[in-house]
Structure formats: structure tokens, C-alpha cells
């Protein structure tokens, strides 16, 4: 790949986008994660794991014409390799990997021009909210925050200026489900130039493929399930339309947000075990959700029949994921539970091999209470975020240990008097 003003750019980017379409046979999702073929990357020694091309520049043999790679901001074989594999998993024409989930959103936002409009949810990831707020004031763009779990609310604000509809499902931490299929149909009928963008971080490509549900662009924080070990930051974008892919690649090349070679290697390594991690995590999540519901808490998890949007979720996704939340009715006791667990680590983020727990208290007196801290208190109240909400992100530990640890925490917080397990 070359700088955007070099003559080879067009030919190379079209060659690249066609690479991803060559897959001959389609396998089941677990096989697709681990079986890598047709990435279009040539390795001289037939390495069975893609080497880390830790280089900024590539030597050229021709004085006037650049080879496939020249400068790692523009392209690097380790990055092309993981992008091509991810395109297959996301059912995308083209994938781009960037330095974080937020830079993935940033390259998408640059498709929006001044005076256009964005429709987004009212229960979105705090960092997304922060970037959208910055973007709209800097660029004279209107952002409508609506309840995207009700397609009619989206319909009400769609108009000829709408450029992006930004969806996230399940939402976090309220675990509400958004009907991607219905909203895509509505958008197609009403604003043909509008793009439906789905943040698929909570499900990962293993459990849900928004591009197959009608979306134009899907993106993930690869920091979560895709990498799986909380040892790197990255973002992953997938797109059906090659022209859109080219426009976003322009920003990657122009700014240098493409993922660095070593991180591409770590990401690839994580993806190979995505299926075993998620299968294990969601099986445990189900048992934990049932246990907590049995104790009498209000539990939010799409695997429970009691979830009001159970059918909708399972119409779109192949599983329930491994993030759940529950309310205890008492902020102080919620805090006591969070601080009493030993295996469940208090941490932001999710999708890690370790189980995580955190209190979703978000108010101005505790401004550092993690990722939703960037949602102001007034907005939080309007969105009805309960203060006693505990979020659990289930890891790969033995589920009986996780249950015991949680049970001990419930005993010390005074919710149950003796062992129930
Ligand atoms: C973490 C997260 C992001 C942001 O990704 P980073 O890799 O932290 O930049 C975006 N959306 C969702 C749903 C997330 O959980």
C-alpha cells in the first residue's frame, strides 16, 4: 500500500478488498475463528503463525514504483493479515483495525459532514457519548439521543439530513436490546443516504453479525472479547461497501491510527480462542444469572426468559454473551458486595478471561466511577440509571468458584444468611 497521492493506491486498495471475498467454503463460527486462509499476505517461510513485521518502512526494489508495502502508517503485512481474517468473521467486504474502539468510531464519524445529523441511543457507552459530544460542537453536527430500543423513537427524528444511525445492542449496563433489522428497514425506506452503524462490542462477531442484519458498518472495541486478555487496546471496523471502506482507510492512512504490528499479532492470537472463551463465559453467565434471580434480585441478562426482549435478542444473536447486571435495592449493600468478592476483580472494561465486577454508581460526587463517568448526572437521571446496579462480566474461571465467591459476598453484605449452593 502507498501514500494516498501515489498512483498505485487505487489498484492496490481494490486488490485488497477483493482478497477478503475469496473464501471458498464457509465453516461454522468456531472453525472460522481459528482457521485462517486466503488472507492475501505472502510469507516467505510459510510461518504457521503470522510474524510481527515490526518495521516502519519497507525497502523498495524499483526507483519509480512502490511495492505492496512502503510505510507502516499506510499498511503492514501483520495488519493486513488480521484485517482480512476479521473481514471474514464479520461477513464484511473489508475490515480495518485501529488503535482503540474509540478511534474506530472516529474514522466512522469522519463520514459525517457539517450540518448533517446523527441519531444515537440514550444508553450508550460513556466514551461514545463523550466523542459524539465533542464531535457535534466541533463540526456543527446535530446529534439526537433517543431510546433506540423503540424503533418509533428513531423514526421520529430521521430526516433527509440524517447521515448516521448509531446503535449498540445489548446496551451496557442496562442490557436493553435494539432491533437492528427493523431500524435498518426504516432507514432504507426513509433516508437512502443514511448509514446504520452498529457497535457490536458486547456480542463480538462470534455471536452476532450486524452486517447480515442489514447494517452498513459494524465496529468493535477489540480491547474486549476479540483480544480477550486485557493486554491491548484496539478497534475493529467492518464494512460491506468497498467505497466506504476506502474512505475510512484514507483516514487511517492520513492520521496513523492503524493498529501497530505487535498489537495486530496479539489481536490475532486472541481471536483464535474467541469461541472457546465465549462459549465458556456465557455458559457460566447463565448459571450466575439464574442464581442471582433465585436469590430475588432484578437481573438483566438476555439469556433469561424474564428479559423483556428475550425473543428479539435471540432473533439477531447466536448467544446471550457474558455481561449481566443486577439491582440490589441498596447502594451501600451493592458497594459491600463489590468490595467483598475475591475472584471477581473490580475493574472497568469486559471481555477478559478474568471475571470482573463493578458498581455502576455514576454521580458527580464520585466523578471517577469509571466509564459512565462521562455521562453527566442530569442526563443519567433522565436515562433512569439505577444507582445500586452491579455489573458482572463473566470470565473463564470454574463457575462453581465464581458462584461461591459471589455467595460469600452476598452473605457478608447481609443478603443471605447461609449457603444456598
Ligand atoms: C470499550 C468500549 C468502547 C471503546 O473501546 P476502546 O477500545 O476502549 O476505545 C466502545 N464501545 C463499547 C460498547 C465498549 O464497551
Amino acid at each position: 500500500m502507498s501514500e494516498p497521492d501515489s498512483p498505485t493506491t487505487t489498484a492496490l486498495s481494490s486488490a485488497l478488498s477483493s482478497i477478503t471475498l475469496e473464501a471458498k467454503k464457509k465453516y461454522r463460527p468456531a472453525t472460522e475463528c481459528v482457521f485462517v486462509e486466503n488472507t492475501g499476505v505472502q510469507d516467505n517461510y510459510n510461518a504457521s503463525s503470522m510474524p510481527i513485521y515490526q518495521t516502519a518502512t519497507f525497502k523498495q526494489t524499483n526507483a519509480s514504483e512502490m511495492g505492496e508495502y512502503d510505510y507502516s502508517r499506510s499498511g503492514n503485512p501483520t495488519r493486513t493479515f488480521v484485517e482480512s481474517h476479521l473481514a471474514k468473521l464479520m461477513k464484511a467486504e473489508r475490515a480495518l483495525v485501529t488503535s482503540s474502539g474509540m478511534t474506530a468510531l472516529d474514522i466512522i464519524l469522519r463520514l459525517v459532514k457539517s450540518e448533517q445529523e446523527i441519531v444515537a441511543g440514550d444508553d450508550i457507552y460513556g466514551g461514545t457519548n463523550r466523542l459524539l459530544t465533542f464531535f457535534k460542537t466541533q463540526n456543527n453536527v446535530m446529534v439526537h439521543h433517543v431510546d433506540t430500543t423503540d424503533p418509533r423513537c428513531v423514526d421520529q427524528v430521521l430526516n433527509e439530513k440524517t447521515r448516521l444511525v448509531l446503535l449498540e445492542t445489548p446496551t451496557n449496563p442496562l442490557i436493553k436490546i435494539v432491533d437492528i433489522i427493523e431500524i435498518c428497514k426504516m432507514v432504507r425506506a426513509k433516508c437512502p443516504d443514511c448509514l446504520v452503524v452498529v457497535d457490536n462490542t458486547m456480542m463480538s462477531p462470534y455471536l452476532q453479525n450486524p452486517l447480515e442484519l442489514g447494517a452498513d458498518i459494524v465496529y468493535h472495541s477489540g480491547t474486549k472479547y476479540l483480544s480477550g486478555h486485557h493486554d491491548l487496546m484496539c478497534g475493529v471496523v467492518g464494512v460491506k461497501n468497498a467505497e466506504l471502506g476506502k474512505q475510512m482507510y484514507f483516514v487511517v492512512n492520513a492520521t496513523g491510527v492503524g493498529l501497530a504490528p505487535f498489537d495486530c499479532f496479539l489481536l490475532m492470537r486472541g481471536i483464535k480462542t474467541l469461541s472457546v472463551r465465549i462459549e465458556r463465559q456465557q455458559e457460566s453467565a447463565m448459571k450466575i444469572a439464574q442464581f442471582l434471580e433465585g436469590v430475588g434480585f432484578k437481573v438483566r441478562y438476555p439469556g433469561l426468559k424474564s428479559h423483556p426482549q428475550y425473543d428479539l435478542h435471540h432473533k439477531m444473536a447466536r448467544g446471550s454473551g457474558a455481561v449481566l447486571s443486577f439491582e440490589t435495592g441498596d447502594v451501600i449493600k451493592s458497594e459491600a458486595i463489590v468490595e467483598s468478592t475475591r475472584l471477581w476483580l473490580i475493574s472497568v472494561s469486559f471481555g477478559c478471561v478474568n471475571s470482573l465486577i463493578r458498581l455502576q454508581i455514576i454521580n458527580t460526587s464520585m466523578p471517577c466511577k469509571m466509564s459512565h463517568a462521562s455521562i453527566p448526572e442530569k442526563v443519567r437521571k433522565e436515562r433512569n440509571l439505577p444507582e445500586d446496579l452491579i455489573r458482572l462480566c463473566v470470565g473463564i474461571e470454574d463457575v462453581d468458584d465464581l458462584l461461591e465467591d459471589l455467595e460469600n459476598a452476598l452473605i457478608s453484605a447481609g443478603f443471605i444468611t447461609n449457603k444456598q449452593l
Side-chain angles (χ1 to χ4, degrees):
M1 280 176 279
S2 316
E3 289 288 325
D5 50 355
S6 94
T8 52
T9 307
T10 323
L12 280 165
S13 60
S14 66
L16 253 186
S17 58
S18 63
I19 287 166
T20 56
L21 293 179
E22 284 169 20
K24 289 176 200 84
K25 175 170 166 36
K26 284 203 167 73
Y27 294 98
R28 292 164 186 83
T31 310
E32 295 281 25
C33 287
V34 72
F35 182 59
V36 186
E37 64 170 354
N38 296 332
T39 60
V41 180
Q42 214 60 44
D43 167 56
N44 285 341
Y45 301 102
N46 270 339
S48 41
S49 163
M50 183 61 184
I52 304 165
Y53 282 87
Q54 189 64 38
T55 180
T57 51
F58 297 82
K59 288 184 279 189
Q60 307 299 318
T61 48
N62 189 307
S64 54
E65 233 177 81
M66 291 292 178
E68 192 177 357
Y69 297 98
D70 54 19
Y71 195 49
S72 278
R73 169 154 50 73
S74 311
N76 178 289
T78 318
R79 192 189 306 152
T80 309
F81 185 83
V82 72
E83 283 179 342
S84 156
H85 186 54
L86 275 162
K88 182 186 75 167
L89 297 185
M90 294 186 290
K91 322 289 178 195
E93 169 91 8
R94 181 165 188 186
L96 297 163
V97 293
T98 62
S99 58
S100 71
M102 287 295 97
T103 52
L105 176 61
D106 190 50
I107 66 170
I108 297 166
L109 287 179
R110 289 174 196 237
L111 299 167
V112 181
K113 296 196 178 73
S114 167
E115 298 191 2
Q116 291 185 320
E117 299 186 3
I118 297 173
V119 179
D122 59 0
D123 176 27
I124 52 176
Y125 176 70
T128 303
N129 203 52
R130 175 171 45 208
L131 184 56
L132 280 176
T133 304
F134 174 74
F135 183 81
K136 75 177 178 191
T137 45
Q138 295 283 312
N139 298 285
N140 187 28
V141 163
M142 168 112 82
V143 179
H144 302 273
H145 287 282
V146 300
D147 177 5
T148 47
T149 62
D150 181 353
R152 287 170 305 181
C153 297
V154 176
D155 191 45
Q156 276 168 12
V157 291
L158 283 181
N159 65 70
E160 71 283 352
K161 289 189 199 160
T162 316
R163 176 60 168 152
L164 296 186
V165 173
L166 198 60
L167 307 174
E168 203 180 305
T169 182
T171 64
N172 165 23
L174 295 182
I175 322 289
K176 294 194 287 184
I177 313 299
V178 172
D179 191 340
I180 300 173
I181 302 169
E182 184 58 31
I183 292 177
C184 286
K185 276 188 202 149
M186 244 167 44
V187 169
R188 297 288 166 259
K190 215 166 163 179
C191 349
D193 294 333
C194 171
L195 303 168
V196 179
V197 180
V198 179
D199 179 338
N200 196 43
T201 305
M202 283 273 271
M203 285 290 102
S204 89
Y206 181 68
L207 293 181
Q208 183 167 268
N209 299 115
L211 296 180
E212 291 196 320
L213 302 173
D216 300 286
I217 301 175
V218 62
Y219 74 101
H220 303 84
S221 165
T223 314
K224 315 292 166 61
Y225 288 107
L226 285 165
S227 72
H229 296 72
H230 279 184
D231 50 10
L232 84 134
M233 303 284 311
C234 77
V236 174
V237 184
V239 67
K240 280 192 288 197
N241 177 305
E243 178 53 36
L244 275 181
K246 234 164 84 179
Q247 287 175 34
M248 288 188 287
Y249 167 71
F250 179 88
V251 181
V252 171
N253 182 31
T255 60
V257 292
L259 193 63
F262 184 68
D263 290 342
C264 289
F265 165 83
L266 284 177
L267 174 61
M268 188 65 207
R269 187 179 157 113
I271 293 167
K272 287 181 181 176
T273 58
L274 179 65
S275 72
V276 275
R277 284 185 284 109
I278 291 203
E279 291 291 353
R280 164 76 162 234
Q281 285 165 316
Q282 66 178 0
E283 194 188 325
S284 301
M286 188 66 195
K287 288 182 183 158
I288 288 157
Q290 285 166 337
F291 166 69
L292 291 169
E293 200 167 51
V295 172
F297 295 121
K298 179 180 178 191
V299 183
R300 301 165 190 258
Y301 182 59
L304 291 175
K305 285 272 166 53
S306 59
H307 192 292
Q309 295 166 297
Y310 178 91
D311 290 332
L312 173 59
H313 177 80
H314 293 278
K315 191 169 129 190
M316 300 187 293
R318 290 180 286 272
S320 309
V323 178
L324 59 134
S325 60
F326 67 103
E327 287 159 56
T328 66
D330 185 330
V331 192
I332 305 296
K333 284 185 175 175
S334 286
E335 225 168 81
I337 294 172
V338 170
E339 287 172 358
S340 308
T341 55
R342 295 179 68 181
L343 284 176
W344 298 85
L345 313 171
I346 305 176
S347 170
V348 293
S349 197
F350 58 87
C352 182
V353 284
N354 295 102
S355 291
L356 310 176
I357 188 168
R358 61 178 280 211
L359 189 58
Q360 296 288 163
I361 281 191
I362 315 119
N363 63 36
T364 41
S365 63
M366 292 179 166
C368 61
K369 284 276 160 128
M370 307 183 175
S371 65
H372 285 74
S374 40
I375 301 176
E377 189 181 10
K378 178 176 157 286
V379 181
R380 182 180 52 81
K381 285 248 158 66
E382 280 164 10
R383 289 178 206 165
N384 214 0
L385 282 173
E387 298 215 331
D388 56 336
L389 195 71
I390 296 177
R391 188 184 75 180
L392 298 176
C393 308
V394 183
I396 63 168
E397 302 90 342
D398 189 307
V399 68
D400 290 333
D401 285 329
L402 290 175
L403 283 166
E404 261 175 50
D405 196 39
L406 209 49
E407 189 184 50
N408 289 336
L410 294 182
I411 292 170
S412 56
F415 279 103
I416 48 179
T417 43
N418 43 29
K419 296 215 177 256
Q420 303 190 346
L421 288 163

